[in-house]
Amino acid sequence: MNGKLVKEILVPISDYPNIGDGASVKDAFLILKNNFEKGKGYRSILVLNERNQLKGVLSLADLIKAVEPQFLKVTKPDAYQGISVGYPALSLIWQELFSEECKEEAKKAVKEVMAPVQATVTLEDPIAKAAYLLIMTNSRILPVLDKDKVIGVVRLVDVFKEITDVVLQS
């Protein structure tokens, strides 16, 4: 890393999936699906407002949780006591309900389900700072800001590559 800066490993915002905060969860699924079909491995989406200011982040897990049907959000683990797990018709009924409720839940706006941004960096921050923040926040990406505008992200995988070069130097 030897003094390298965030700007040297930045993924520009034009290359990274992002979505407006009023868009639907279904729209976010479509963006990531298209991203995967193009061979890009991005696993999250930045959520921006109309002024391109960062409002949050959506991970794959956030999106799956967002469409989780309400009937699965049971607070008591014994709520379904007495129902046999071997009852085959029950699984078919639940599958149909699951699919229908997922579609309904996908109509929500992403701002209702996005995760808050825990940390950011700037172009001139050292990669070591990015590494520290990624580990301390247990994040896979850090948005890179210029004033209050997001201009890209630093990914954990790219920081890992930089650290690997240092560790494996003879």
Side-chain angles (χ1 to χ4, degrees), residues 118-131:
Q118 297 181 30
T120 62
V121 290
T122 69
L123 287 171
E124 299 302 321
D125 282 332
I127 292 174
K129 177 181 178 181

Side-chain angles (χ1 to χ4, degrees), residues 17-90:
N18 60 80
I19 194 167
D21 60 359
S24 72
V25 169
K26 181 179 180 179
D27 294 333
F29 269 92
L30 182 60
I31 288 171
L32 279 183
K33 178 183 181 285
N34 291 339
N35 167 62
F36 287 129
E37 288 174 354
K38 291 178 184 174
K40 296 182 178 182
Y42 303 137
R43 290 173 172 82
S44 59
I45 301 175
L46 297 178
V47 180
L48 310 174
N49 69 10
E50 65 280 348
R51 295 185 307 276
N52 281 339
Q53 294 169 315
L54 186 62
K55 301 313 278 178
V57 178
L58 283 169
S59 69
L60 295 177
D62 293 329
L63 288 172
I64 292 170
K65 286 180 208 171
V67 297
E68 181 182 41
Q70 293 298 317
F71 66 80
L72 292 179
K73 297 178 182 175
V74 177
T75 56
K76 294 181 187 175
D78 63 344
Y80 298 112
Q81 217 170 26
I83 296 176
S84 170
V85 293
Y87 189 65
L90 181 62

Side-chain angles (χ1 to χ4, degrees), residues 87-103:
Y87 189 65
L90 181 62
S91 64
L92 295 174
I93 293 167
W94 275 48
Q95 179 59 40
E96 186 62 31
L97 288 172
F98 183 86
S99 297
E100 291 306 313
E101 283 218 27
C102 281
K103 291 175 188 175

